[in-house]
């Protein structure tokens, strides 16, 4: 709702321009009083050159040989001084000089109308040229002013982008974006909300400069539905909204706004790829009228701030997912390392670090063959070499002398690109030393059981022969870990060992 111009507003602007012009002329005179006095005196002298011919007091001056030259050049000098005053100081001052020039020649017109009509035409042409030139200067100064304002807007946008680019934290970016927007648009207070797509409402992200009562009301009710208040209307329409008179605005959610002292408000959508992701609302303690250039600036700020906040939210989500992945990565009991195609470790979890009695950071940028095998060159036939050659998962079990002869189950899985190129290798290591020991114990227990059963069968035969003793000794060696075994028997009659 942008308020249209009325005759009353146009008259007020004209009066304002006239007052500003008088103020600027006054400042010019105060800054350069002597120069301005000499300038005005020069204009009067030049403008009165034509009258000198008709005043007896100036007869000696007119009789001078230099007076004809001065008489012919004084009109051009007046024109030049008027142009200089308009360009150097103020266009209105140049107009005043031209009017002074014309006024000084009015008494001279009846005298030259009959005798020198061409000279009168010449003076009129000089006056018209001066007025036209000053008009061009006014247009040029307006263009320069617009260019200056545009440069100021661009500089404001650049400064805003620089401030928001200094951090990726959502709260920090939102606070800096709001501060920069309020500064650029010359507003006293403001808020930023982001749209919760799941709940289809708007959540308060940050605020600045709100009176205490209004701030408390906002914190009690930080969420607004779509369509509620100024922010809700902007969220639905996707277009900036300007409220010149808050006292006449009926869709207010927070009633304390009416007692806050705010006179005007402006809200702009924060967009990312044409989609509204948030709303920034600013309030002014004085009544504001926003121009088309202000609205364009607001739209640019909305796109910039919207992109910055969207990036911050995305960064926060990625950071959260990263922490969750880190926790999962480090909670796995198997040692995991991410290798480059040349077998350099770029990431390792704590399980692998504890297995190697070090830290994950200490493993980064080291080669796997140096970490596991203490070699300075790749080991032929290792699981990583097979994975690189075949570009497919490979697995092996081996006893590693460099790690106190522990048994390791090692697996390498390739990470391939879209064209089948090897990007990295996921190297997984599991310590199965205890499993191996358990298997050995189970195998030994099975062997002992088998040997005892066989010895019982041999003893049950009741045959005392050398073959039986030999078979018994072989079974006995399976139970007792010795290299040799002998059997000595005590004879019943002579008590002698055989």
């Amino acid at each position: 709702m942008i308020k249209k111009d009325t005759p009353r507003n146009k008259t007020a602007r004209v009066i304002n321009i006239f007052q500003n012009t008088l103020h600027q002329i006054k400042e010019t005179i105060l800054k350069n009083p002597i120069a301005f006095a000499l300038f005005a005196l020069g204009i009067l002298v030049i403008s009165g050159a034509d009258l000198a011919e008709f005043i007896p007091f100036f007869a000696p001056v007119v009789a001078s040989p230099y007076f004809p030259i001065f008489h012919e050049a004084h009109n051009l000098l007046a024109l030049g001084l008027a142009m200089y005053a308009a360009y150097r100081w103020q266009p209105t001052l140049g107009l005043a000089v031209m009017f002074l020039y014309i006024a000084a020649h009015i008494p001279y017109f009846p005298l030259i109308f009959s005798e020198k009509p061409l000279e009168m035409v010449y003076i009129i042409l000089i006056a018209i040229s001066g007025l036209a030139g000053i008009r061009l200067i006014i247009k040029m100064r307006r263009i320069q002013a617009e260019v200056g304002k545009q440069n100021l807007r661009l500089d404001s946008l650049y400064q805003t982008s620089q401030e928001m680019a200094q951090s990726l934290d959502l709260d920090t970016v939102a606070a800096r974006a709001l501060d920069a927007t309020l500064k650029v648009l010359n507003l006293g207070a403001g808020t930023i909300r982001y749209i919760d797509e799941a709940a289809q409402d708007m959540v308060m992200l940050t605020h600045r400069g709100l009176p205490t009562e209004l701030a408390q009301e906002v914190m009690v009710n930080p969420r607004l539905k779509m369509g509620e208040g100024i922010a809700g209307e902007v969220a639905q329409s996707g277009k900036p909204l300007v409220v010149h008179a808050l006292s006449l605005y009926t869709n207010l959610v927070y009633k304390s706004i009416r007692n806050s002292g705010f006179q005007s408000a402006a809200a702009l959508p924060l967009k990312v790829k044409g989609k509204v992701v948030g709303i920034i609302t600013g309030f002014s303690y004085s009544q504001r009228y926003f121009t088309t250039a202000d609205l364009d600036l607001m739209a640019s700020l909305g796109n910039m701030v919207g992109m910055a906040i969207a990036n911050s939210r995305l960064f926060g989500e990625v950071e959260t997912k990263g922490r969750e992945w880190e926790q999962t990565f480090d909670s796995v009991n198997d040692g995991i390392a991410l290798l480059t195609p040349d077998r350099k470790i770029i990431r390792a979890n704590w399980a692998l670090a504890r297995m190697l009695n070090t830290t994950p950071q200490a493993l980064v940028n080291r080669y796997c063959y140096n970490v596991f095998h203490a070699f300075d060159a790749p080991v032929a036939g290792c699981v990583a070499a097979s994975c690189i050659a075949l570009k497919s998962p490979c697995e092996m079990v081996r006893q590693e002398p460099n790690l106190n002869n522990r048994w390791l189950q090692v697996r390498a899985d390739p990470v391939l690109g879209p064209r089948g190129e090897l990007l990295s290798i996921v190297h997984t290591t599991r310590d199965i030393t205890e499993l191996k020991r358990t298997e050995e114990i189970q195998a030994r227990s099975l062997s002992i059981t088998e040997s005892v059963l066989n010895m019982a069968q041999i003893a049950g035969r009741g045959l005392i022969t050398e073959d039986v003793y030999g078979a018994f000794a072989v079974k006995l060696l399976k139970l007792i870990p010795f290299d040799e075994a002998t059997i000595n028997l005590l004879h019943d009659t002579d008590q002698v060992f055989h």
Side-chain angles (χ1 to χ4, degrees):
M1 47 181 296
I2 300 174
K3 194 171 183 180
K4 296 183 179 180
D5 280 340
T6 62
R8 182 179 179 181
N9 294 333
K10 292 181 179 179
T11 303
R13 278 202 300 270
V14 171
I15 294 174
N16 188 34
I17 292 172
F18 181 73
Q19 290 176 345
N20 290 336
T21 301
L22 293 179
H23 178 71
Q24 291 169 352
I25 293 176
K26 180 180 178 181
E27 284 189 349
T28 303
I29 295 174
L30 291 176
K31 290 180 180 178
N32 306 280
I34 298 177
F36 188 80
L38 294 175
F39 182 81
L41 181 61
I43 291 297
L44 289 174
V45 171
I46 292 174
S47 300
D50 290 321
L51 296 176
E53 298 181 28
F54 302 92
I55 300 175
F57 178 78
F58 293 104
V61 177
V62 175
S64 172
Y66 299 103
F67 181 78
I69 300 175
F70 174 75
H71 184 268
E72 294 299 328
H74 81 283
N75 294 310
L76 296 178
L77 290 174
L79 178 62
L81 288 175
M83 296 295 101
Y84 177 81
Y87 182 80
R88 180 65 178 83
W89 290 327
Q90 291 295 328
T92 311
L93 186 58
L95 287 174
V97 170
M98 289 308 303
F99 289 144
L100 180 63
Y101 170 80
I102 295 172
H105 282 81
I106 289 176
Y108 180 60
F109 286 165
L111 299 176
I112 64 173
F113 182 75
S114 58
E115 299 180 7
K116 299 179 181 180
L118 292 178
E119 187 169 342
M120 186 179 70
V121 173
Y122 177 63
I123 294 173
I124 293 174
L125 291 176
I126 289 292
I128 294 174
S129 300
L131 294 175
I134 292 173
R135 184 179 180 184
L136 291 176
I137 291 176
I138 292 175
K139 289 186 176 180
M140 183 181 68
R141 289 175 70 93
R142 286 178 180 174
I143 293 173
Q144 290 176 342
E146 288 298 324
V147 171
K149 290 180 180 179
Q150 186 66 20
N151 290 336
L152 182 61
R153 295 189 187 101
L154 293 176
D155 183 66
S156 300
L157 292 175
Y158 174 76
Q159 294 296 334
T160 302
S161 65
Q162 289 294 103
E163 291 179 6
M164 290 187 297
Q166 294 177 5
S167 175
L168 285 173
D169 178 69
L170 179 59
D171 294 335
T172 303
V173 169
R176 290 178 176 174
L178 182 56
D179 290 339
T181 303
L182 296 179
K183 180 180 178 181
V184 170
L185 297 178
N186 193 24
L187 298 172
T191 63
I192 289 183
R193 297 177 179 273
Y194 71 88
I195 296 178
D196 187 348
E197 295 183 358
Q200 283 298 300
D201 59 8
M202 300 169 294
V203 184
M204 176 65 69
L205 187 58
T206 186
H207 62 83
R208 284 285 188 279
L210 297 181
T212 304
E213 183 180 356
L214 179 57
Q216 291 175 351
E217 188 177 1
V218 168
M219 296 313 297
V220 171
N221 184 22
R223 288 180 175 266
L224 292 178
K225 295 180 181 179
M226 305 293 284
E228 285 187 337
I230 300 174
E233 287 192 29
V234 173
Q236 282 188 334
S237 66
K239 298 178 181 179
L241 174 63
V242 175
V243 180
H244 295 294
L246 278 174
S247 59
L248 303 178
Y249 186 70
T250 59
N251 191 19
L252 289 176
V253 178
Y254 303 110
K255 304 305 179 184
S256 56
I257 290 182
R258 299 194 184 278
N259 303 323
S260 62
F262 296 133
Q263 300 296 321
S264 302
L268 56 146
L270 308 180
K271 295 184 177 182
V272 177
K273 296 181 179 179
K275 181 180 179 181
V276 180
V277 297
I279 303 92
I280 182 168
T281 307
F283 301 94
S284 174
Y285 286 101
S286 60
Q287 198 165 19
R288 287 283 305 276
Y289 294 95
F290 293 86
T291 63
T292 304
D294 292 331
L295 296 178
D296 292 340
L297 179 61
M298 291 169 64
S300 300
L301 282 170
N303 293 332
M304 183 183 299
V305 174
M307 183 61 70
I309 291 179
N311 288 339
S312 298
R313 291 182 64 184
L314 179 60
F315 177 77
E317 293 174 1
V318 171
E319 195 174 39
T320 301
K321 297 296 183 182
R323 284 195 297 267
E324 294 174 356
W325 184 86
E326 287 276 359
Q327 294 172 355
T328 304
F329 187 60
D330 289 329
S331 64
V332 176
N333 292 326
D334 295 342
I336 302 176
L338 187 64
L339 311 179
T340 61
D342 61 348
R343 310 181 202 186
K344 181 182 289 186
I345 298 175
I346 56 177
R347 197 68 179 270
N349 67 347
W350 270 104
L352 181 62
R354 286 191 292 268
M355 190 183 301
L356 300 174
N357 196 26
T358 183
T359 62
Q361 293 77 13
L363 294 175
V364 175
N365 292 327
R366 294 182 63 186
Y367 292 95
C368 63
Y369 48 79
N370 179 260
V371 170
F372 289 99
H373 312 301
F375 291 160
D376 295 330
V379 179
C382 74
V383 66
S386 301
C387 179
I388 293 172
L390 301 175
K391 293 185 179 180
S392 61
C394 297
E395 185 175 338
M396 68 171 57
V397 175
R398 58 172 294 164
Q399 192 173 18
E400 183 54 57
N402 186 50
L403 300 177
N404 299 322
N405 287 320
R406 284 188 287 180
W407 284 92
L408 303 178
Q409 182 181 11
V410 185
R411 179 182 175 89
D413 293 278
V415 178
L416 303 178
R419 293 188 293 251
E421 70 276 16
L422 183 64
L423 301 178
S424 58
I425 303 168
V426 180
H427 190 280
T428 307
T429 305
R430 176 176 296 179
D431 190 342
I432 59 172
T433 302
E434 294 300 324
L435 179 62
K436 281 290 185 180
R437 290 176 181 174
T438 302
E439 290 177 351
E440 289 179 0
I441 292 173
Q442 291 176 348
R444 184 171 179 78
S445 298
L446 182 63
S447 177
I448 290 174
T449 302
E450 181 183 357
S451 299
V452 170
L453 292 175
N454 290 335
M455 290 175 64
Q457 292 177 358
I458 294 172
R461 294 174 185 173
L463 302 175
I464 308 301
T465 63
E466 292 183 1
D467 293 338
V468 173
Y469 287 134
F472 194 84
V474 171
K475 299 298 182 181
L476 184 63
L477 287 176
K478 291 184 177 181
L479 297 175
I480 304 173
F482 292 110
D483 295 331
E484 296 181 1
T486 59
I487 299 177
N488 296 315
L489 300 177
L490 180 63
H491 198 275
D492 292 337
T493 56
D494 52 11
Q495 300 294 315
V496 179
F497 285 104
H498 298 280

